[in-house]
Amino acid sequence: MKIGRWLIAGAVLAVGIWKADDIIGTDKQRSAAPDSSVTQTADPSPTTSPGGQSPEASASESAAPDHTEAADPSPSASATPPAKPTDEPKPSTDTPDNGKGNASLEALLQTNAPGKTIKVNKNGVAVVTNPDSMLVLVNKKRELSSEYAPDDLVKPDVAFSFSGDSPKQKMRKPAAKALEQLFAGAEQDGITLKAVSGYRAYATQKSIFSRNADLKGEEVANRTSARPGQSEHQTGLAMDVSSASANYELEQKFGDTKEGKWLAAHCAEYGFIIRFLKGEEDVTGYSYEPWHVRYVGIDAARQIMAQGVTLEAYLEAAEKAATKA
């Protein structure tokens, strides 16, 4: 009996030892196997990350969720409208809106009021003080200095009634550009114009008046030709214009031609006026000259031609209106 119990006990002990050894072996295998979680998060890059961080720091940043792309914009950001591009076209100042052009013209008229722009010199001659203004008023009572000459004279790209080069082909730059546009507009309407005489220096006008006085007498010359200092041609803002139908002459018959009629009807669109109107000889001091155009700017020209008044009357009326205001 004792022998049998010993055999049974030995058998049980052997089985227990075998089971224990199997369990221990299994645990050794598990501990030897690589950790899959470490393999997934490990940084395969060198020991230093591109940003100079340790592998641990790189691994922790890559494991952290990135919410910046999926995050909703903040209320303040969504309420702010996108900025307008800086290269948006700016409104043109050539065509003022909301009365700004009229406001600018009114200011210009006040600055160039006849009563504010004249000074009597030591010889008793009334000399204008604004010779460079587009609204300068020059006539028998308001003269230019004998030394005055514009500093921006250029030759407009238009047809002339004569060949060769001459100072009388020139005008002040703004007026020259406007004359080019006027001639182009006429051409589009089937009208051919040619320029005859523009800028004249003080000395040139003196010679012209003396010659006319010798030929016609001083009284007649004084009605048809300006004395030196009293001519708009010295401002560089005037141009005499004619056509083939008038033989390119500066005669009153030009006003009856289709070219003369077109000029009177459309010159204001380009900033010019017919300076010496018919029936206004007592105001201007000169006979009717349908060929003589004077640049004053588009806004002023449209008002002057629409009202059918002289430059003298227009400027004086503006001065009186400003005084009453």
Side-chain angles (χ1 to χ4, degrees):
M1 291 293 292
K2 291 182 179 180
I3 295 173
R5 290 179 181 174
W6 283 58
L7 290 173
I8 293 172
V12 172
L13 181 59
V15 171
I17 293 172
W18 177 79
K19 288 289 187 182
D21 184 65
D22 184 57
I23 292 171
I24 292 171
T26 301
D27 290 340
K28 289 180 178 180
Q29 291 177 356
R30 290 176 179 174
S31 63
D35 190 344
S36 60
S37 63
V38 175
T39 303
Q40 293 176 1
T41 59
D43 189 353
S45 62
T47 56
T48 304
S49 67
Q53 296 172 316
S54 65
E56 290 80 4
S58 297
S60 64
E61 286 183 0
S62 63
D66 186 359
H67 297 291
T68 56
E69 294 181 0
D72 293 331
S74 63
S76 60
S78 62
T80 303
K84 294 182 178 181
T86 57
D87 58 349
E88 284 186 348
K90 296 180 180 180
S92 172
T93 57
D94 293 336
T95 309
D97 296 325
N98 302 324
K100 292 181 180 179
N102 290 334
S104 299
L105 177 59
E106 290 301 324
L108 191 64
L109 288 170
Q110 292 181 31
T111 302
N112 293 279
K116 298 179 181 179
T117 54
I118 195 167
K119 184 178 181 180
V120 179
N121 65 16
K122 61 181 180 180
N123 297 321
V125 178
V127 180
V128 297
T129 58
N130 62 334
D132 291 323
S133 172
M134 295 298 163
L135 291 178
V136 60
L137 178 61
V138 177
N139 54 32
K140 294 180 179 180
K141 299 177 182 179
R142 302 169 55 88
E143 299 188 15
L144 289 164
S145 166
S146 60
E147 299 177 355
Y148 176 74
D151 59 4
D152 60 346
L153 292 171
V154 296
K155 179 182 176 181
D157 186 15
V158 298
F160 286 86
S161 62
F162 58 92
S163 59
D165 293 328
S166 170
K168 67 180 182 178
Q169 291 174 319
K170 296 182 178 181
M171 300 182 77
R172 288 189 58 189
K173 192 172 183 178
K177 182 178 179 181
L179 190 73
E180 292 173 354
Q181 295 171 344
L182 185 150
F183 273 45
E187 194 68 29
Q188 289 180 354
D189 288 346
I191 300 295
T192 301
L193 299 172
K194 286 191 177 182
V196 178
S197 183
Y199 171 71
R200 297 177 201 155
Y202 183 95
T204 301
Q205 191 65 36
K206 184 177 181 179
S207 298
I208 291 174
F209 183 83
S210 295
R211 185 172 66 252
N212 285 334
D214 291 341
L215 293 173
K216 306 174 184 178
E218 188 168 338
E219 183 179 349
V220 174
N222 199 38
R223 292 198 305 266
T224 59
S225 178
R227 294 179 183 273
Q230 299 177 0
S231 173
E232 280 197 330
H233 287 278
Q234 189 181 343
T235 68
L237 298 172
M239 178 63 76
D240 292 335
V241 178
S242 192
S243 62
S245 58
N247 296 320
Y248 301 116
E249 296 174 354
L250 302 180
E251 301 287 346
Q252 291 184 356
K253 63 182 180 180
F254 173 72
D256 296 324
T257 66
K258 65 176 182 178
E259 292 86 0
K261 292 178 180 178
W262 184 95
L263 185 64
H266 297 279
C267 65
E269 299 171 13
Y270 305 92
F272 291 93
I273 61 172
I274 303 298
R275 178 66 177 91
F276 305 116
L277 300 174
K278 184 181 291 187
E280 297 290 346
E281 290 82 0
D282 291 342
V283 176
T284 64
Y286 299 100
S287 300
Y288 168 52
E289 294 187 4
W291 62 84
H292 181 107
V293 292
R294 156 70 192 274
Y295 184 75
V296 294
I298 294 175
D299 291 336
R302 284 176 172 170
Q303 291 185 5
I304 293 170
M305 293 302 290
Q307 295 171 21
V309 297
T310 62
L311 181 60
E312 286 87 352
Y314 176 73
L315 292 175
E316 289 170 4
E319 184 175 18
K320 290 180 181 178
T323 303
K324 294 179 179 179

